Amino acid sequence: MAMNDAAARLGLKSGLALADARAMYPTLTVADADAQADRRLLEAVADWCDRYTPLVGLDPPDGLTLDITGCAHLFGGEKAFCADIVQRLARQGLTARAAIADTVGCAWAVARFGRATEPQAYTIVPVGGAREALLPLRLAALRIAPEIEAGLAQAGLKRIADVIDRPRAPLAARFGEAFIRRIDQALRREDEPITPRLPIPAYVAERRFADPILLETDVLGTIEALAQELARMLERRGEGARHLEVALFRTDGKVDRIAAGTGAPLRDPARIRALLAERFTAIGDACDPGFGFDVVRLAARTTERCDPQQTGLATPDHAAELAHLIDRLGARFGLRRVTRLVPQDTHIPEFAVAAMPASDLILRSPRSGRLEGWPQARSLPATMVRDARKSALLPMRLQDKAILADSLCSPRPIRLLGRPEPIEAVAEVPDGPPVRFRWRRVLHQVALAEGPERIAMEWWRDQNGRALTRDYFRLESREGVRVWVFREGLYGRELAEPRWFLHGLFA
Amino acid sequence: MSAALTGPALSLSLPGKPGRVGRGVSIDSGRVSKVSTSPLGVAEGSLRLGVPALDAALQGGLAFGALHELAPAGALQLGAAFGFGLAIAALAAAKDGRQVFCITTDFAVREGGAPYGLDLFGLPLEHLLILRVAHPREALWGFEEGLKCRALAAVLAELPEEGQAADFTATRRLSLAAETGGGLGLLLRHHRYPLPSAAVTRWQVAATPSAPDRFGGLGGTRFDLSLERNRRGRCGRFVADWNYDKRTFLPEALSLGMAEAARDRPDRTQQRRTA
């Protein structure tokens, strides 16, 4: 059982059975513990602490560890730093105890078990003073399990001073290596890294405001100013941002993070602003300024090499403009919605072309417009025809070439249905093309047919070996509508009664 | 060193506008003709389709920097209408090597399939950028952004059903965006839209039986094009064959009778002739 201050004033104690407490005060208000809500709150506070240092580690259930190496002087020294944190958290309605020490273990111990002198709720352990600060504290301050503490208490060891200079071997033998390691960590005999909650960005620019800003134009203006700072940093290293993130710290402690990816390394401040403005529009009301933002931070999470390019005087820079368009569309709809079609190495029609995010395929040279890593197109009649002509016995006429190209890479529909639609088809002979078919309740008479093009399913794709062979036909109806249909399964061998499907539309 | 000296140090040119001298006048095969500098974005130049009858009706070709509307003539002619849009886009892309931007919605893809074998149809896949959105409104937003971008030769957006989202105001807005970017705006509606729109031309497209090849198989794609609305000239009905191998329309198109010019927006050539 945990309780609040009011309950403590009544004389209740943590760990008391609920039934006993109710017996004493029948009107007690009781709520179930919500560990997840606690965790969310802790994460929100950790997010907020990001304004002090990018290295914030969670210490559940109720603690945070901040690595403030090189940060304190930005806030006017360690004292002012601590006072600022505690005061701002108090304004948010949170009671916090803070401690700064040389080691994580020592700070943990002093924050929880030290005697902070009122009214200040923080303790600063001077450099090299970890040992002295730890000596008078209870053993629980070493982050050890309660049963170890109880065991030590039975041996008459209650304070850290009682164990700190004892021979280590007997203690380790009786209470485990972990106990000794905790002592070492607190005294910096052993390193203890902080695991940051969020990845640390490569480049960061931020701005703080005495008065919080509210308007979107102000926020965007700030972002552009920060982007200029960021651009200078990126330019010095010859890099461009691929993934940007804006963190908006609201005065009441909530932190909004807005991220945007780019298709090509980006440095231009105006474009960064436009990109994030697009994100704001896409998010809409989800980003609520509340009482305003007092810190705005722009970070480049991922960067890539970006060499300066000579722009032409007369010709507009099409590649850059296209990249910007992709970024803006990506910011609005998500980069996965802006795609290019990439041929795949398979015969199965539905897998033969994959829609890949355009931002992943970088144009190699803006002039030629070829894509980097672009697979050879399936249909290159010129080379194929040349190869075929070498093997052919007779010299070919011009119109035969087209036919050969046609048979080497048979035409594909310009629209492919995501799921083949069943049709009713009537064929003259079992293996032949249909003479009429009904699709979406309309009956079509077939005037011309081409086929079959037999496509066997790839055995490694289906687990039961039950995928059926397809015979594809190109059909032209009497009205001129052209469709791509297939019969699934071979008569007699695979199925007694094969079914027909319509898979695509030709022009 | 010598190579550097022989080459031109600086070349200033206006790409994609050969033979163009000044604004409003074009030199075309030795004949100087006046190009109307109307507010319809006509001055941006035109895309010659390569079919004399069609190009004549369009006063030299499909206007760049303007919006054109396509609709299938029947419920099952979506493939034909999309194919005609693609053919135009492929022609525009082949002209100056810029990219083609294709916008579809989730519903349109479920209904009529996703773009597929376009390289075989004449549009190289590396020239194609595709955006798929959830809602027609978003498609219009993407359409406008695409039209404003000067790096695109053509933007082909398709709207499911009649595309009610693209009403007169929206199409006017899109036309203005197209004028800014100078690309070809192609709006494909899945059904015919009966209400007015600000597009420069409106087409109804159907496939028509092709001439079978030597072996009795399917011939090349043949479009039956009804030019329903044309702000630059007469309307009419044409048949055009698309050769996807060479990426051209075959020049010997049939014209199936000319209709009168649109009544609400009279044909300017007519006025000039009478005046």
Side-chain angles (χ1 to χ4, degrees), chain B residues 223-240:
Chain B
F223 297 112
D224 176 358
L225 307 166
S226 309
L227 181 52
E228 282 195 317
R229 153 74 155 274
N230 180 10
R231 291 204 178 183
R232 293 169 74 177
R234 287 165 173 271
C235 298
R237 198 160 162 219
F238 309 89
V239 171

Side-chain angles (χ1 to χ4, degrees), chain A residues 48 51 88 207-220 222-223 246-258 280 284-297:
Chain A
W48 175 82
R51 62 194 284 141
R88 277 176 193 271
R207 191 146 295 183
R208 284 158 196 272
F209 300 97
D211 271 340
I213 55 171
L214 264 168
L215 298 176
E216 193 180 329
T217 47
D218 293 348
V219 174
L220 287 174
T222 312
I223 286 173
V246 181
L248 299 165
F249 293 78
R250 239 161 66 169
T251 38
D252 58 355
K254 191 168 174 288
V255 182
D256 285 316
R257 287 174 198 279
I258 292 151
F280 277 116
D285 290 338
C287 174
D288 175 20
F291 295 107
F293 304 113
D294 58 354
V295 179
V296 178
R297 175 183 294 168

Side-chain angles (χ1 to χ4, degrees), chain B residues 42-89:
Chain B
V42 175
E44 285 287 334
S46 300
L47 175 71
R48 202 165 275 284
L49 295 180
V51 183
L54 258 176
D55 286 335
L58 292 168
Q59 305 267 310
L62 224 47
F64 272 111
L67 184 70
H68 305 274
E69 232 180 83
L70 315 170
L76 301 164
Q77 301 282 8
L78 177 65
F82 183 63
F84 183 57
L86 274 181
I88 297 172

